[in-house]
Amino acid sequence: MLKPGATIGILGGGQLGRMLAIAAQQLGLKVHIYSPDKDSCAFDVVHAFTCAAYEDEAALGRFAGSVDVITYEFENVPAKTAAFLAKRKQVMPNPRVLEITQDRLIEKNFISELKIGTAPYASVHSASQLAAGIEKVGLPAVLKTKQLGYDGKGQAKIAKGVDANAAWRSLKNEPCILEGFVNFEREVSVIAARSADGKVECFEVTENEHRDHILHLSKVPAKVSPALAAEARKIATKIAKAFDYVGVLAVEMFVVRAGKKQTVLVNEIAPRVHNSGHWTIDGATVSQFEQHIRAVAGWPLAKPVRLGRVEMTNLIGTEANEAQHWLTVPGASLHLYGKKDPRPGRKMGHVTRVFGK
Ligand SMILES: Nc1ncnc2c1ncn2[C@@H]1O[C@H](COP(=O)(O)OP(=O)(O)O)[C@@H](O)[C@H]1O
Ligand SMILES: [Mg+2]
């Protein structure tokens, strides 16, 4: 159990690291960010940072020596980096989680082994596997590179009657997973926290709308039945336990209708705090960021209480130019991440609106 004044090392320096650092500071803990990107917006709010490559073992060694525990805000930390650090300091969540979630196929196999539903899927490493995969999952389908995709990058939809090989070529013939296209009613996520002593606290199920494959709006509570909400939280809890997880994770799900009943299929797992949990900063008594810090510090988790009906809107690219507008909207809280260049598709900030119960 860390004492106030101890230092948490965080790999990754984006807005998630920035908001984790702010939460840590509220609890009297210090943060040291490690990121290879000199423009990391988390550097601006921390007590120490290291700007070095994930392969720089001298810098990693110094980093490990200067912190009390290590966590990450980004799931593509190279396995070798995580292993190097884990020999020197405790890394939470444990690096096995990274191995599973960095590869969409290994992740889907892991979920299926837990008897949790997913879209039908197949591995695609060759043109003949692509044809066999289409036989298995049907069309339309979505082809996704196994590794390094985010915000819809590394994905191609395959409609009926189009050239499937062209879709695969558009992904540079990289190893892929082919998924049957799910006709979902809505998309939801569960943000779950698990403490070092194995207790789990889930936030309420969040409903998510994407635009151009990027999260646009999150709403809580999600429009789902109490039974479905309970099922979704049970699934997230099962995944957190199976990983022997310490920290916050997000499980993205599709809500589908099977006759009269709604049910969920798991889309993907993010082994970190998640954009669809940003509403918890202003919309609940404890945020996902604070829960993560509590967990990796070995502290007890809080029981989150939601403060009203909540909506979180991302400010993407030049949408941040209109941020001023939100300053005077009743019930709105503005968060800007301090990024200079509002490139298209870049997450620049978000706004949370809390409405009466
Ligand atoms: N099998 C699928 N069926 C229908 N829609 C999908 C499917 N897979 C992904 N999508 C859509 O694309 C979005 C992004 O895909 P996802 O697998 O979550 O990748 P990432 O968020 O890493 O880019 C999802 O939120 C969903 O809207
Ligand atoms: Mg996703």
Side-chain angles (χ1 to χ4, degrees), residues 54-55 74-79 98-105 107 143-155 171 174-177 268-269 272:
Y54 286 126
E55 293 73 31
F74 154 76
E75 63 270 44
N76 289 314
V77 171
L98 290 174
E99 270 170 46
I100 295 171
T101 56
Q102 281 175 359
D103 184 299
R104 291 186 191 274
L105 183 70
E107 180 178 272
L143 193 60
K144 305 179 180 178
T145 56
K146 283 192 194 173
Q147 294 184 331
L148 298 173
Y150 69 99
D151 287 346
K153 293 188 176 66
Q155 297 193 14
L171 301 176
E174 280 190 43
C176 281
I177 179 172
E268 62 170 348
I269 304 168
R272 52 169 170 78

Side-chain angles (χ1 to χ4, degrees), residues 12 46 115 156 182:
V46 290
K115 308 261 178 291
V182 177

Side-chain angles (χ1 to χ4, degrees), residues 296-310:
V296 301
W299 296 7
L301 300 174
K303 282 224 171 290
V305 178
R306 185 166 51 85
L307 301 174
R309 188 171 69 74
V310 191

Side-chain angles (χ1 to χ4, degrees), residues 61-299:
R62 282 193 299 276
F63 170 71
S66 71
V67 301
D68 296 293
V69 60
I70 298 172
T71 186
Y72 42 89
E73 59 103 72
F74 154 76
E75 63 270 44
N76 289 314
V77 171
K80 217 175 147 198
T81 306
F84 180 90
L85 291 170
K87 279 199 207 112
R88 289 158 179 83
K89 273 287 142 67
Q90 192 175 6
V91 176
M92 283 175 288
N94 67 70
R96 189 178 77 93
V97 173
L98 290 174
E99 270 170 46
I100 295 171
T101 56
Q102 281 175 359
D103 184 299
R104 291 186 191 274
L105 183 70
I106 298 174
E107 180 178 272
K108 283 264 173 3
N109 287 339
F110 171 82
I111 297 165
S112 304
E113 278 159 23
L114 294 174
K115 308 261 178 291
I116 296 169
T118 67
Y121 64 93
S123 174
V124 173
H125 284 216
S126 65
S128 62
Q129 279 189 331
L130 177 57
I134 290 172
E135 280 293 308
K136 180 178 170 197
V137 310
L139 289 176
V142 190
L143 193 60
K144 305 179 180 178
T145 56
K146 283 192 194 173
Q147 294 184 331
L148 298 173
Y150 69 99
D151 287 346
K153 293 188 176 66
Q155 297 193 14
K157 194 169 167 184
I158 305 179
K160 278 192 186 128
V162 306
D163 177 5
N165 285 311
W168 194 33
R169 274 198 302 279
S170 77
L171 301 176
K172 305 198 168 65
N173 292 51
E174 280 190 43
C176 281
I177 179 172
L178 182 74
E179 295 179 12
F181 191 82
V182 177
N183 259 325
F184 54 80
E185 279 192 355
R186 51 191 89 242
E187 288 192 77
V188 298
S189 57
V190 175
I191 309 288
R194 187 164 180 270
S195 59
D197 64 357
K199 296 207 172 70
V200 176
E201 288 292 343
C202 295
F203 287 95
E204 279 173 81
V205 180
T206 303
E207 183 164 341
N208 302 311
E209 288 172 22
H210 295 84
R211 264 193 204 163
D212 302 327
H213 302 280
I214 302 173
L215 182 66
H216 164 62
L217 179 70
S218 289
K219 295 193 264 190
V220 208
K223 264 204 182 140
V224 294
S225 67
L228 185 114
E231 184 190 342
R233 290 157 61 124
K234 213 166 121 190
I235 287 171
T237 303
K238 193 170 183 185
I239 291 171
K241 280 191 185 151
F243 276 139
D244 194 20
Y245 202 88
V246 178
V248 163
L249 63 72
V251 184
E252 297 178 11
M253 308 178 195
F254 299 130
V255 178
V256 292
R257 191 160 283 278
K260 277 196 177 153
K261 224 178 128 237
Q262 279 182 324
T263 181
V264 288
L265 300 175
V266 168
N267 173 32
E268 62 170 348
I269 304 168
R272 52 169 170 78
V273 287
H274 191 258
N275 196 169
S276 69
H278 290 1
W279 66 269
T280 58
I281 301 177
D282 304 295
T285 49
V286 64
S287 74
Q288 62 166 347
F289 302 100
E290 180 176 336
Q291 289 289 63
H292 185 76
I293 295 294
R294 285 176 179 235
V296 301
W299 296 7

